[in-house]
PDB file of all heavy atoms in Angstrom:
ATOM      1  N   ARG A1168     109.012 135.183 172.722  1.00  0.00           N
ATOM      2  CA  ARG A1168     108.809 136.446 172.006  1.00  0.00           C
ATOM      3  C   ARG A1168     107.394 136.487 171.386  1.00  0.00           C
ATOM      4  O   ARG A1168     106.943 137.610 170.847  1.00  0.00           O
ATOM      5  CB  ARG A1168     109.801 136.516 170.952  1.00  0.00           C
ATOM      6  CG  ARG A1168     109.883 135.479 169.825  1.00  0.00           C
ATOM      7  CD  ARG A1168     110.801 135.938 168.666  1.00  0.00           C
ATOM      8  NE  ARG A1168     112.120 136.096 169.251  1.00  0.00           N
ATOM      9  CZ  ARG A1168     113.127 135.038 169.281  1.00  0.00           C
ATOM     10  NH1 ARG A1168     112.791 133.939 168.694  1.00  0.00           N
ATOM     11  NH2 ARG A1168     114.375 135.348 169.619  1.00  0.00           N
ATOM     12  N   LEU A1169     106.599 135.388 171.413  1.00  0.00           N
ATOM     13  CA  LEU A1169     105.342 135.517 170.792  1.00  0.00           C
ATOM     14  C   LEU A1169     104.302 135.994 171.634  1.00  0.00           C
ATOM     15  O   LEU A1169     103.165 136.327 171.346  1.00  0.00           O
ATOM     16  CB  LEU A1169     104.950 134.046 170.365  1.00  0.00           C
ATOM     17  CG  LEU A1169     105.818 133.319 169.319  1.00  0.00           C
ATOM     18  CD1 LEU A1169     105.311 131.916 169.128  1.00  0.00           C
ATOM     19  CD2 LEU A1169     105.828 134.097 168.174  1.00  0.00           C
ATOM     20  N   ILE A1170     104.563 136.273 173.004  1.00  0.00           N
ATOM     21  CA  ILE A1170     103.588 136.659 173.882  1.00  0.00           C
ATOM     22  C   ILE A1170     103.974 138.073 174.486  1.00  0.00           C
ATOM     23  O   ILE A1170     105.264 138.430 174.229  1.00  0.00           O
ATOM     24  CB  ILE A1170     103.225 135.787 175.076  1.00  0.00           C
ATOM     25  CG1 ILE A1170     104.518 135.359 175.898  1.00  0.00           C
ATOM     26  CG2 ILE A1170     102.678 134.477 174.547  1.00  0.00           C
ATOM     27  CD1 ILE A1170     104.327 134.316 177.034  1.00  0.00           C
ATOM     28  N   PRO A1171     103.271 138.842 175.170  1.00  0.00           N
ATOM     29  CA  PRO A1171     103.677 140.228 175.531  1.00  0.00           C
ATOM     30  C   PRO A1171     104.984 140.251 176.325  1.00  0.00           C
ATOM     31  O   PRO A1171     105.268 139.331 177.040  1.00  0.00           O
ATOM     32  CB  PRO A1171     102.503 140.695 176.437  1.00  0.00           C
ATOM     33  CG  PRO A1171     101.349 140.024 175.789  1.00  0.00           C
ATOM     34  CD  PRO A1171     101.810 138.516 175.494  1.00  0.00           C
ATOM     35  N   ASP A1172     105.658 141.333 176.118  1.00  0.00           N
ATOM     36  CA  ASP A1172     107.163 141.500 176.778  1.00  0.00           C
ATOM     37  C   ASP A1172     106.986 142.358 177.951  1.00  0.00           C
ATOM     38  O   ASP A1172     107.998 142.797 178.369  1.00  0.00           O
ATOM     39  CB  ASP A1172     108.018 142.069 175.756  1.00  0.00           C
ATOM     40  CG  ASP A1172     107.656 143.526 175.418  1.00  0.00           C
ATOM     41  OD1 ASP A1172     106.531 143.841 175.634  1.00  0.00           O
ATOM     42  OD2 ASP A1172     108.537 144.214 174.831  1.00  0.00           O
ATOM     43  N   HIS A1173     105.795 142.415 178.702  1.00  0.00           N
ATOM     44  CA  HIS A1173     105.695 143.131 179.851  1.00  0.00           C
ATOM     45  C   HIS A1173     104.809 142.321 180.789  1.00  0.00           C
ATOM     46  O   HIS A1173     104.212 141.379 180.403  1.00  0.00           O
ATOM     47  CB  HIS A1173     104.786 144.485 179.547  1.00  0.00           C
ATOM     48  CG  HIS A1173     103.486 144.244 178.915  1.00  0.00           C
ATOM     49  ND1 HIS A1173     103.423 144.134 177.389  1.00  0.00           N
ATOM     50  CD2 HIS A1173     102.338 144.088 179.400  1.00  0.00           C
ATOM     51  CE1 HIS A1173     102.236 143.932 177.120  1.00  0.00           C
ATOM     52  NE2 HIS A1173     101.456 143.877 178.308  1.00  0.00           N
ATOM     53  N   PRO A1174     104.881 142.606 182.012  1.00  0.00           N
ATOM     54  CA  PRO A1174     104.138 141.927 183.076  1.00  0.00           C
ATOM     55  C   PRO A1174     102.679 141.924 182.874  1.00  0.00           C
ATOM     56  O   PRO A1174     102.065 142.943 182.684  1.00  0.00           O
ATOM     57  CB  PRO A1174     104.489 142.654 184.514  1.00  0.00           C
ATOM     58  CG  PRO A1174     105.732 143.313 184.107  1.00  0.00           C
ATOM     59  CD  PRO A1174     105.727 143.726 182.755  1.00  0.00           C
ATOM     60  N   THR A1175     102.104 140.742 182.760  1.00  0.00           N
ATOM     61  CA  THR A1175     100.685 140.590 182.290  1.00  0.00           C
ATOM     62  C   THR A1175     100.074 139.449 183.009  1.00  0.00           C
ATOM     63  O   THR A1175     100.675 138.418 183.414  1.00  0.00           O
ATOM     64  CB  THR A1175     100.767 140.238 180.723  1.00  0.00           C
ATOM     65  OG1 THR A1175     101.317 141.240 180.070  1.00  0.00           O
ATOM     66  CG2 THR A1175      99.208 140.308 180.271  1.00  0.00           C
ATOM     67  N   VAL A1176      98.783 139.595 183.258  1.00  0.00           N
ATOM     68  CA  VAL A1176      97.915 138.572 183.817  1.00  0.00           C
ATOM     69  C   VAL A1176      96.756 138.152 182.820  1.00  0.00           C
ATOM     70  O   VAL A1176      96.242 138.977 182.239  1.00  0.00           O
ATOM     71  CB  VAL A1176      97.281 139.085 185.094  1.00  0.00           C
ATOM     72  CG1 VAL A1176      96.295 137.977 185.664  1.00  0.00           C
ATOM     73  CG2 VAL A1176      98.178 139.450 186.266  1.00  0.00           C
ATOM     74  N   PHE A1177      96.729 136.854 182.621  1.00  0.00           N
ATOM     75  CA  PHE A1177      95.845 136.287 181.736  1.00  0.00           C
ATOM     76  C   PHE A1177      94.759 135.394 182.300  1.00  0.00           C
ATOM     77  O   PHE A1177      95.114 134.693 183.366  1.00  0.00           O
ATOM     78  CB  PHE A1177      96.486 135.376 180.692  1.00  0.00           C
ATOM     79  CG  PHE A1177      97.556 136.106 179.733  1.00  0.00           C
ATOM     80  CD1 PHE A1177      98.817 135.993 180.116  1.00  0.00           C
ATOM     81  CD2 PHE A1177      97.123 136.899 178.594  1.00  0.00           C
ATOM     82  CE1 PHE A1177      99.764 136.672 179.199  1.00  0.00           C
ATOM     83  CE2 PHE A1177      98.092 137.442 177.738  1.00  0.00           C
ATOM     84  CZ  PHE A1177      99.318 137.271 178.137  1.00  0.00           C
ATOM     85  N   PRO A1178      93.500 135.435 181.934  1.00  0.00           N
ATOM     86  CA  PRO A1178      92.693 134.395 182.414  1.00  0.00           C
ATOM     87  C   PRO A1178      93.044 133.059 181.877  1.00  0.00           C
ATOM     88  O   PRO A1178      93.374 133.063 180.608  1.00  0.00           O
ATOM     89  CB  PRO A1178      91.294 134.866 181.881  1.00  0.00           C
ATOM     90  CG  PRO A1178      91.498 135.740 180.633  1.00  0.00           C
ATOM     91  CD  PRO A1178      92.892 136.334 180.883  1.00  0.00           C
ATOM     92  N   ALA A1179      92.957 132.069 182.540  1.00  0.00           N
ATOM     93  CA  ALA A1179      93.357 130.661 181.992  1.00  0.00           C
ATOM     94  C   ALA A1179      92.173 129.915 181.515  1.00  0.00           C
ATOM     95  O   ALA A1179      91.295 129.594 182.216  1.00  0.00           O
ATOM     96  CB  ALA A1179      94.039 129.922 183.100  1.00  0.00           C
ATOM     97  N   SER A1180      92.332 129.489 180.229  1.00  0.00           N
ATOM     98  CA  SER A1180      91.294 128.675 179.665  1.00  0.00           C
ATOM     99  C   SER A1180      91.349 127.253 180.291  1.00  0.00           C
ATOM    100  O   SER A1180      92.334 126.907 180.771  1.00  0.00           O
ATOM    101  CB  SER A1180      91.393 128.631 178.199  1.00  0.00           C
ATOM    102  OG  SER A1180      92.641 128.054 177.853  1.00  0.00           O
ATOM    103  N   ASP A1181      90.400 126.478 180.031  1.00  0.00           N
ATOM    104  CA  ASP A1181      90.416 125.182 180.468  1.00  0.00           C
ATOM    105  C   ASP A1181      91.573 124.320 179.933  1.00  0.00           C
ATOM    106  O   ASP A1181      92.351 123.580 180.498  1.00  0.00           O
ATOM    107  CB  ASP A1181      89.077 124.424 180.159  1.00  0.00           C
ATOM    108  CG  ASP A1181      87.948 124.849 180.985  1.00  0.00           C
ATOM    109  OD1 ASP A1181      88.225 125.517 181.974  1.00  0.00           O
ATOM    110  OD2 ASP A1181      86.753 124.594 180.583  1.00  0.00           O
ATOM    111  N   LEU A1182      91.864 124.660 178.524  1.00  0.00           N
ATOM    112  CA  LEU A1182      92.868 123.957 177.946  1.00  0.00           C
ATOM    113  C   LEU A1182      94.342 124.391 178.428  1.00  0.00           C
ATOM    114  O   LEU A1182      95.133 123.608 178.632  1.00  0.00           O
ATOM    115  CB  LEU A1182      92.848 124.215 176.396  1.00  0.00           C
ATOM    116  CG  LEU A1182      93.973 123.701 175.469  1.00  0.00           C
ATOM    117  CD1 LEU A1182      94.001 122.187 175.673  1.00  0.00           C
ATOM    118  CD2 LEU A1182      93.718 124.041 173.971  1.00  0.00           C
ATOM    119  N   ALA A1183      94.454 125.757 178.622  1.00  0.00           N
ATOM    120  CA  ALA A1183      95.750 126.160 179.244  1.00  0.00           C
ATOM    121  C   ALA A1183      95.926 125.582 180.596  1.00  0.00           C
ATOM    122  O   ALA A1183      97.060 125.265 180.909  1.00  0.00           O
ATOM    123  CB  ALA A1183      95.695 127.781 179.314  1.00  0.00           C
ATOM    124  N   ARG A1184      94.869 125.520 181.399  1.00  0.00           N
ATOM    125  CA  ARG A1184      95.089 124.967 182.666  1.00  0.00           C
ATOM    126  C   ARG A1184      95.477 123.419 182.646  1.00  0.00           C
ATOM    127  O   ARG A1184      96.485 123.074 183.227  1.00  0.00           O
ATOM    128  CB  ARG A1184      93.751 125.015 183.507  1.00  0.00           C
ATOM    129  CG  ARG A1184      93.573 124.471 184.796  1.00  0.00           C
ATOM    130  CD  ARG A1184      92.523 124.964 185.555  1.00  0.00           C
ATOM    131  NE  ARG A1184      91.187 124.665 184.950  1.00  0.00           N
ATOM    132  CZ  ARG A1184      90.412 125.477 184.488  1.00  0.00           C
ATOM    133  NH1 ARG A1184      90.757 126.820 184.433  1.00  0.00           N
ATOM    134  NH2 ARG A1184      89.298 125.216 183.871  1.00  0.00           N
ATOM    135  N   ALA A1185      94.849 122.699 181.675  1.00  0.00           N
ATOM    136  CA  ALA A1185      95.296 121.407 181.482  1.00  0.00           C
ATOM    137  C   ALA A1185      96.643 121.116 181.051  1.00  0.00           C
ATOM    138  O   ALA A1185      97.348 120.254 181.655  1.00  0.00           O
ATOM    139  CB  ALA A1185      94.235 120.594 180.588  1.00  0.00           C
ATOM    140  N   VAL A1186      97.068 122.060 180.169  1.00  0.00           N
ATOM    141  CA  VAL A1186      98.480 121.849 179.640  1.00  0.00           C
ATOM    142  C   VAL A1186      99.481 122.197 180.729  1.00  0.00           C
ATOM    143  O   VAL A1186     100.447 121.614 180.948  1.00  0.00           O
ATOM    144  CB  VAL A1186      98.591 122.813 178.520  1.00  0.00           C
ATOM    145  CG1 VAL A1186     100.158 123.042 177.990  1.00  0.00           C
ATOM    146  CG2 VAL A1186      97.829 122.378 177.264  1.00  0.00           C
ATOM    147  N   LEU A1187      99.144 123.317 181.473  1.00  0.00           N
ATOM    148  CA  LEU A1187     100.067 123.802 182.572  1.00  0.00           C
ATOM    149  C   LEU A1187     100.203 122.580 183.601  1.00  0.00           C
ATOM    150  O   LEU A1187     101.312 122.272 184.073  1.00  0.00           O
ATOM    151  CB  LEU A1187      99.522 124.965 183.321  1.00  0.00           C
ATOM    152  CG  LEU A1187      99.765 126.237 182.477  1.00  0.00           C
ATOM    153  CD1 LEU A1187      98.863 127.353 183.164  1.00  0.00           C
ATOM    154  CD2 LEU A1187     101.260 126.732 182.521  1.00  0.00           C
ATOM    155  N   LEU A1188      99.052 121.924 183.955  1.00  0.00           N
ATOM    156  CA  LEU A1188      99.136 120.813 185.039  1.00  0.00           C
ATOM    157  C   LEU A1188      99.939 119.613 184.304  1.00  0.00           C
ATOM    158  O   LEU A1188     100.603 118.994 185.032  1.00  0.00           O
ATOM    159  CB  LEU A1188      97.726 120.304 185.378  1.00  0.00           C
ATOM    160  CG  LEU A1188      97.024 121.469 186.152  1.00  0.00           C
ATOM    161  CD1 LEU A1188      95.484 121.016 186.391  1.00  0.00           C
ATOM    162  CD2 LEU A1188      97.694 121.721 187.442  1.00  0.00           C
ATOM    163  N   ALA A1189      99.689 119.418 183.036  1.00  0.00           N
ATOM    164  CA  ALA A1189     100.389 118.321 182.535  1.00  0.00           C
ATOM    165  C   ALA A1189     101.933 118.451 182.388  1.00  0.00           C
ATOM    166  O   ALA A1189     102.712 117.550 182.677  1.00  0.00           O
ATOM    167  CB  ALA A1189      99.907 118.129 180.971  1.00  0.00           C
ATOM    168  N   LEU A1190     102.272 119.699 181.918  1.00  0.00           N
ATOM    169  CA  LEU A1190     103.719 119.955 181.909  1.00  0.00           C
ATOM    170  C   LEU A1190     104.446 120.083 183.217  1.00  0.00           C
ATOM    171  O   LEU A1190     105.712 119.828 183.263  1.00  0.00           O
ATOM    172  CB  LEU A1190     103.850 121.328 181.274  1.00  0.00           C
ATOM    173  CG  LEU A1190     103.641 121.404 179.819  1.00  0.00           C
ATOM    174  CD1 LEU A1190     103.554 122.900 179.300  1.00  0.00           C
ATOM    175  CD2 LEU A1190     104.699 120.605 179.046  1.00  0.00           C
ATOM    176  N   THR A1191     103.693 120.213 184.299  1.00  0.00           N
ATOM    177  CA  THR A1191     104.305 120.284 185.627  1.00  0.00           C
ATOM    178  C   THR A1191     104.108 118.987 186.537  1.00  0.00           C
ATOM    179  O   THR A1191     104.427 118.915 187.555  1.00  0.00           O
ATOM    180  CB  THR A1191     103.845 121.499 186.390  1.00  0.00           C
ATOM    181  OG1 THR A1191     102.332 121.427 186.522  1.00  0.00           O
ATOM    182  CG2 THR A1191     104.239 122.786 185.749  1.00  0.00           C
ATOM    183  N   GLY A1192     103.413 118.042 185.954  1.00  0.00           N
ATOM    184  CA  GLY A1192     103.121 116.751 186.456  1.00  0.00           C
ATOM    185  C   GLY A1192     104.389 115.791 186.228  1.00  0.00           C
ATOM    186  O   GLY A1192     105.388 116.269 185.631  1.00  0.00           O
ATOM    187  N   PRO A1193     104.204 114.629 186.738  1.00  0.00           N
ATOM    188  CA  PRO A1193     105.374 113.592 186.579  1.00  0.00           C
ATOM    189  C   PRO A1193     105.729 113.289 185.149  1.00  0.00           C
ATOM    190  O   PRO A1193     106.883 113.279 185.047  1.00  0.00           O
ATOM    191  CB  PRO A1193     104.690 112.259 187.238  1.00  0.00           C
ATOM    192  CG  PRO A1193     103.694 112.838 188.259  1.00  0.00           C
ATOM    193  CD  PRO A1193     103.171 114.057 187.537  1.00  0.00           C
ATOM    194  N   ARG A1194     104.850 113.340 184.234  1.00  0.00           N
ATOM    195  CA  ARG A1194     105.139 112.981 182.875  1.00  0.00           C
ATOM    196  C   ARG A1194     105.873 114.381 182.286  1.00  0.00           C
ATOM    197  O   ARG A1194     106.752 114.234 181.491  1.00  0.00           O
ATOM    198  CB  ARG A1194     103.911 112.761 182.023  1.00  0.00           C
ATOM    199  CG  ARG A1194     103.257 111.482 182.310  1.00  0.00           C
ATOM    200  CD  ARG A1194     102.235 111.178 181.285  1.00  0.00           C
ATOM    201  NE  ARG A1194     102.799 111.004 179.969  1.00  0.00           N
ATOM    202  CZ  ARG A1194     102.217 110.884 178.921  1.00  0.00           C
ATOM    203  NH1 ARG A1194     100.738 110.941 178.806  1.00  0.00           N
ATOM    204  NH2 ARG A1194     102.643 110.580 177.673  1.00  0.00           N
ATOM    205  N   GLY A1195     105.500 115.664 182.835  1.00  0.00           N
ATOM    206  CA  GLY A1195     106.163 116.715 182.225  1.00  0.00           C
ATOM    207  C   GLY A1195     107.596 116.846 182.679  1.00  0.00           C
ATOM    208  O   GLY A1195     108.368 117.301 182.026  1.00  0.00           O
ATOM    209  N   HIS A1196     107.833 116.389 183.823  1.00  0.00           N
ATOM    210  CA  HIS A1196     109.167 116.483 184.422  1.00  0.00           C
ATOM    211  C   HIS A1196     110.077 115.366 184.019  1.00  0.00           C
ATOM    212  O   HIS A1196     111.176 115.165 184.356  1.00  0.00           O
ATOM    213  CB  HIS A1196     109.118 116.574 185.910  1.00  0.00           C
ATOM    214  CG  HIS A1196     108.662 117.857 186.489  1.00  0.00           C
ATOM    215  ND1 HIS A1196     109.167 119.103 186.230  1.00  0.00           N
ATOM    216  CD2 HIS A1196     107.565 118.219 187.322  1.00  0.00           C
ATOM    217  CE1 HIS A1196     108.635 120.160 186.783  1.00  0.00           C
ATOM    218  NE2 HIS A1196     107.540 119.581 187.458  1.00  0.00           N
ATOM    219  N   GLY A1197     109.395 114.383 183.355  1.00  0.00           N
ATOM    220  CA  GLY A1197     110.175 113.262 183.053  1.00  0.00           C
ATOM    221  C   GLY A1197     110.660 112.280 184.194  1.00  0.00           C
ATOM    222  O   GLY A1197     111.660 111.604 184.070  1.00  0.00           O
ATOM    223  N   ASP A1198     109.767 112.283 185.223  1.00  0.00           N
ATOM    224  CA  ASP A1198     110.061 111.531 186.457  1.00  0.00           C
ATOM    225  C   ASP A1198     109.850 110.134 186.248  1.00  0.00           C
ATOM    226  O   ASP A1198     110.244 109.265 187.105  1.00  0.00           O
ATOM    227  CB  ASP A1198     109.405 112.087 187.712  1.00  0.00           C
ATOM    228  CG  ASP A1198     109.809 113.547 187.967  1.00  0.00           C
ATOM    229  OD1 ASP A1198     110.950 113.878 187.588  1.00  0.00           O
ATOM    230  OD2 ASP A1198     109.013 114.252 188.614  1.00  0.00           O
ATOM    231  N   THR A1199     109.044 109.695 185.205  1.00  0.00           N
ATOM    232  CA  THR A1199     108.689 108.250 185.076  1.00  0.00           C
ATOM    233  C   THR A1199     109.086 107.864 183.628  1.00  0.00           C
ATOM    234  O   THR A1199     109.458 108.728 182.820  1.00  0.00           O
ATOM    235  CB  THR A1199     107.252 108.121 185.177  1.00  0.00           C
ATOM    236  OG1 THR A1199     106.569 108.793 184.126  1.00  0.00           O
ATOM    237  CG2 THR A1199     106.684 108.640 186.543  1.00  0.00           C
TER     238      THR A1199
END
C-alpha cells in the first residue's frame, strides 16, 4: 500500500537492482 495502486514502470536504481537480485537468489529463497 506504500507504492502506487496502478500498473507502473519504474527505473531501477543500483540499490533496487541489488536488493531484487539478493531477494531472489539462494539466500533470498532460503535454499541454503
